[in-house]
Amino acid sequence: MRDPTGFLATEYRSLVDSATDWKLRVLSGPSAPWCTVDGKKVLMFCSNNYLGLSNHPRLKEAALEAIRTHGVGSGSVRPIAGNMDLHVELERRLAAFKRAEASLVYQSGFATNAGLIPQLVGEGDLIVSDELNHGSIIDGTRLSRADRTVYRHTDVADLERVLSAAEERTPAPRRILVITDGVFSMDGDIAPLDRIADAAGRHGAMVYVDDAHGEGVLGPGGRGIVAHFGLSRDQVHVEMGTFSKAFGVVGGHVSGSRALIDFAYNKSRTWLLSGSHPPPVAAACLAAVDLLETEGKHVERLWELTHRFKKEMRALGFDLGASETPITPVMVGDSHRAKALSDRLFDLGLFALPIVYPMVAKEKARLRTIMNAALTDDDVTFAVSAFAKAGRELRLI
Ligand code: PMP
C-alpha cells in the first residue's frame, strides 16, 4: 500500500537539495552578547533582543517573584478563568507607555495578527498591504474573507493608486484596511507611516501598523513608530507589537481606542481560545515596560552603537541596503556567498545568519545583523574587524 505520508520525506529532501532547509543552531545558556552557539563562544549579532533585556536581572527577578506568588501557569484562557491581575496590570501599563486609551496582550505577535486582522475586515471588504509585509500579516489576511491587494514596497503613490481604484469598484468595498510593517524586518527600512495615514485618511480607510521591530527602538523612549511620527489614534487606528523583540520576553499586543480593544478581545479567536501567558511571562513583560518607562539609556545606547556600526561598515565599502534602523543587512547578492560569509564570521567568533531565497529575492541574499544595546564598544570593534577580514577574503570589499 502507498504510504500516505510519503510526501513528508520527499518535500524535506527537496528543501535540503535546494539548500532552503533550516539548519538549527543551538544556544546553550542565555541570549547574551557573548553566548554559546553549537558549543562555540560567539558574539550574538542577529537576535531581536535589541535592548539586551532577555537576560536582564530586573526581568528575571520579576519572573521568579511571579512564580512564587502566582505559580507557573494561568490555568485557563483569559475569558474563562485565566485572567490574572498581572495580565490586567500589564495592559494598563502598556497603554500608558503607548499613550493609548487601551491595550490588549495576546500570546504572541503572530497570534495577534492571525486573530485580529480577519475580524476587522470580512466579505465585501478590502485589505491593502505593503508587498513586503511580515508572514503573520499574510496569514491573518488569508484567514479573512476580504479581498486583498498589495502596493509596491513603501510606495505611497502606488498605495494612492490602489485606494483610488478601490473606490471605482462596484460595489465599492464596505471597509478598507491598510496594513504595513513599521520597520521591515529584512531591510531595516521604516514605513512612511505619516504619508500612508494621510493617503488612507483621504479614502476613509483604517490603518494597521505592525511595529514588532519599531517598539523599543523608534520614537521618544522607544514608544514606537506612531510616536516617532507624532501621529494620533485617529490617523493610525491599530498599533500592533510584540514582547518577543526589544521587550526581551514573548507575547503580542495591540493598542488603540477603548472601542478597538473591547472589540478585539471579544472577537479574536486566537485570544479567546488559547491559554493565557504564564505568570512569569506577564511579570517579565511588565518589568520590561517599567524599565523602558524609567531608563531611557537602553534606547540611546542602541542608536549610538547602530550609527557607529553603519558608519564603519560603509567606510569599509559594505553595501547596507536601505537600512535606517538597528536591523542592518549586509548585502551580498548570491546565496552561496552569503552563506560563506556567515560561516567564516562564525569561525571568527561572530554569529549572524544569512537571509536567502525564498525569504528575499534570489539575487538579494544578505547577512542580517541586528544591533544590541548591551554590547560594549570593544564588541563593536570586534564585529567590524571580523567583517573586514571575512569581507576581504571573500572579495566583498
Ligand atoms: N510581525 C513582525 C514584523 C515580526 O518580525 C514578527 C516576528 N518575527 C512577528 C510579527 C511575530 O511576532 P511573535 O514573535 O511575537 O509571534
Side-chain angles (χ1 to χ4, degrees), residues 62-63 66-67 69-74 84 86-87 276-284:
I67 292 177
T69 56
H70 288 67
V72 293
S74 72
M84 289 178 152
L86 288 169
H87 301 123
S276 56
H277 277 161
V281 168

Side-chain angles (χ1 to χ4, degrees), residues 93-115:
R93 291 294 306 277
L94 182 67
F97 177 70
K98 292 278 182 184
R99 313 268 195 259
E101 243 173 61
S103 295
L104 183 68
V105 173
Y106 288 71
Q107 292 81 353
S108 71
F110 205 115
T112 311
N113 284 335

Side-chain angles (χ1 to χ4, degrees), residues 30 62 69 78 101 138 154 200 260 282 331 387:
T69 56
R78 286 194 50 199
E101 243 173 61
I138 296 172
T154 63
L260 169 73
M331 307 305 284
F387 267 106

Side-chain angles (χ1 to χ4, degrees), residues 48 107-113 132-137 181-186 210-213 240-245 249-253 327 368:
N48 295 313
Q107 292 81 353
S108 71
F110 205 115
T112 311
N113 284 335
L132 295 188
N133 275 346
H134 189 256
S136 54
I137 294 179
D181 277 17
V183 172
F184 289 85
S185 56
M186 296 298 150
D210 174 338
D211 203 27
H213 292 277
M240 174 271 165
T242 173
F243 287 111
S244 71
K245 305 193 193 301
V249 195
V250 76
H253 51 84
I327 297 177
R368 187 178 61 154

